[in-house]
Amino acid sequence: MKYIDLRSDTVTQPTPAMRVAMANAEVGDDVYGEDPTVNHLEALAAEKLGKEAALFVVSGTMGNLVALLTHCGRGDEIILGDKCHTFRYEQGGMAALGGIVPHTIPNQPDGTLRLADIKAAVRPDDAHFPHSRLVCLENTHNVCNGSPLTSAYTTQVAMLAHSRGLRVHVDGARIFNAAAALEVDARELVKDVDSVTFCLSKGLCAPVGAVLCGTADFIAEARRARKVVGGGMRQAGIIAAAGIVALEEMTSRLAEDHARARRLADGLAALPGVRVAPVMTNIVYFNLTQDAKVTAAEIGTRLAARGILLPPRGVYDFRAVTHYWIDDEAIERTLTALREIYA
Ligand code: TLP
């Protein structure tokens, strides 16, 4: 059976063009800097994000960790949102491996951090406190309905942080979704920040990998941090080849995923007892109201029986994510199945 997998955009299989590119990739030992395909991917990524240099890493989690380890020393503090992936879903790697202190402030519903909250969180120079070193933003913001952060907002945060001697890192796992939604170049969204990680293996369909971008000096240090966490890969051109296809062919089609996410949301909103959050990119959060006639668990099980993977994420809550392998028919089949379950 061909599954309709709405659990995440991380489930995306590589495209046929990626499989060909991987089979034919020219490779070398990347720890020696000798893998031409990795070097090509890093140059291309730096160019697309408007940064001097880039570093191919295994995952978004590793890209963020390496960035944090490079920006901060032990006992330094990072200001970040309480709903951001780096705080919630990366096992506290910054603290566990880097001795870095997370200082959380509330994420607003649109994924932003209030400038006043950032200002108040910066520590004064006082021996009681850690040094504040970094502000982290997430774009798009996964848990905050996949909302894109604008270039104007990011610039304001960067100006504030830089005026206090802090740097800014963006977890841009889905930065190209943000660029598509805002109809701007991804470069524009990160032009004033010091570093950005973006993922190749989500909506861009590559099987593995993320890229960290920043200044040449920063990336040289980050290369050391990647090595110490075991991320020095050897003939990594095999997977970098798919990343090149991801950057060249997959970024310009993401608006299609956003349109399908909206279509799914419209269909869901028409079901009784379903509340749908605003949809800005490829992520659709919805939940059952307490008077709904079916439980979330039942919906998950009955959808799975029809080949649709959309397990609930709590007693009432769901997250559906559209991507390259979810076409119009998959959206229609999902809505038809839900209508049947409701009937
Ligand atoms: N997100 C995954 C899960 O970990 C929740 C998903 O299914 O959405 N930053 C953001 C904003 C992310 O959403 C993710 C993955 C990561 C970083 C980590 O990327 P990977 O999985 O490559 O380590």
Side-chain angles (χ1 to χ4, degrees):
M1 180 169 11
K2 186 176 166 258
Y3 279 99
I4 295 174
D5 196 341
L6 291 160
R7 290 173 299 170
S8 182
D9 46 11
T10 60
V11 303
T12 43
Q13 298 276 320
T15 64
M18 288 176 183
R19 290 181 187 273
V20 171
M22 286 190 277
N24 296 321
E26 204 186 320
V27 297
D29 190 326
D30 180 50
V31 174
Y32 297 165
E34 288 174 2
D35 189 302
T37 309
V38 172
N39 293 342
H40 178 177
L41 170 65
E42 291 179 345
L44 183 63
E47 193 256 318
K48 295 248 180 218
L49 274 295
K51 300 294 177 199
E52 282 175 15
L55 183 69
F56 184 41
V57 290
V58 169
S59 63
T61 301
M62 185 185 278
N64 289 331
L65 176 65
V66 163
L68 273 37
L69 292 175
T70 307
H71 284 301
C72 302
R74 299 187 72 79
D76 286 344
E77 193 169 73
I78 296 180
I79 298 166
L80 74 179
D82 59 351
K83 297 192 177 68
C84 76
H85 194 278
T86 305
F87 178 63
R88 280 202 177 180
Y89 302 118
E90 294 175 17
Q91 248 193 61
M94 70 178 90
L97 304 180
I100 301 163
V101 186
H103 184 161
T104 56
I105 56 177
N107 271 117
Q108 301 305 306
D110 63 358
T112 59
L113 305 174
R114 274 201 209 109
L115 295 178
D117 291 342
I118 297 175
K119 229 179 259 177
V122 177
R123 304 288 194 164
D125 185 11
D126 178 317
H128 293 89
F129 301 128
H131 287 302
S132 306
R133 291 281 183 227
L134 189 71
V135 177
C136 285
L137 298 175
E138 184 175 312
N139 196 7
T140 64
H141 201 292
N142 182 344
V143 172
C144 296
N145 302 329
S147 15
L149 305 185
T150 64
S151 164
Y153 169 73
T154 306
T155 295
Q156 281 183 319
V157 172
M159 281 170 62
L160 168 61
H162 291 157
S163 74
R164 310 285 154 119
L166 277 69
R167 290 183 175 176
V168 180
H169 172 71
V170 171
D171 173 359
R174 298 185 179 84
I175 196 78
F176 290 103
N177 292 89
L182 298 168
E183 298 182 357
V184 295
D185 199 287
R187 257 183 226 109
E188 182 62 27
L189 296 177
V190 294
K191 65 182 191 312
D192 295 311
V193 306
D194 301 281
S195 59
V196 53
T197 305
F198 72 88
C199 288
L200 295 163
S201 67
K202 296 193 166 59
L204 303 185
C205 283
V208 183
V211 187
L212 172 62
C213 306
T215 63
D217 285 348
F218 172 80
I219 293 298
E221 273 306 304
R223 206 171 280 284
R224 290 180 55 81
R226 181 187 69 172
K227 191 76 176 76
V228 81
V229 295
M233 295 179 280
R234 301 295 180 175
Q235 287 70 37
I238 299 284
I239 48 177
I244 293 170
V245 178
L247 278 177
E248 284 178 342
E249 295 182 9
M250 305 303 282
T251 59
S252 58
R253 57 154 304 284
L254 294 171
E256 285 177 37
D257 298 340
H258 301 176
R260 291 195 180 100
R262 281 193 298 274
R263 195 161 331 133
L264 180 64
D266 290 346
L268 286 165
L271 295 171
V274 176
R275 213 173 15 220
V276 189
V279 173
M280 260 86 61
T281 53
N282 65 330
I283 302 183
V284 183
Y285 282 96
F286 63 100
N287 66 287
L288 305 183
T289 56
Q290 299 205 0
D291 54 348
K293 293 200 177 67
V294 274
T295 66
E298 236 177 290
I299 291 180
T301 309
R302 290 169 71 179
L303 283 175
R306 290 166 165 82
I308 300 166
L309 303 183
L310 184 54
R313 294 166 70 88
V315 183
Y316 301 108
D317 304 323
F318 291 87
R319 180 189 77 159
V321 185
T322 57
H323 51 76
Y324 180 73
W325 297 102
I326 299 294
D327 56 12
D328 290 337
E329 194 202 325
I331 298 290
E332 284 320 310
R333 262 181 62 195
T334 304
L335 288 171
T336 305
L338 281 164
R339 284 179 204 119
E340 280 168 19
I341 292 167
Y342 266 79

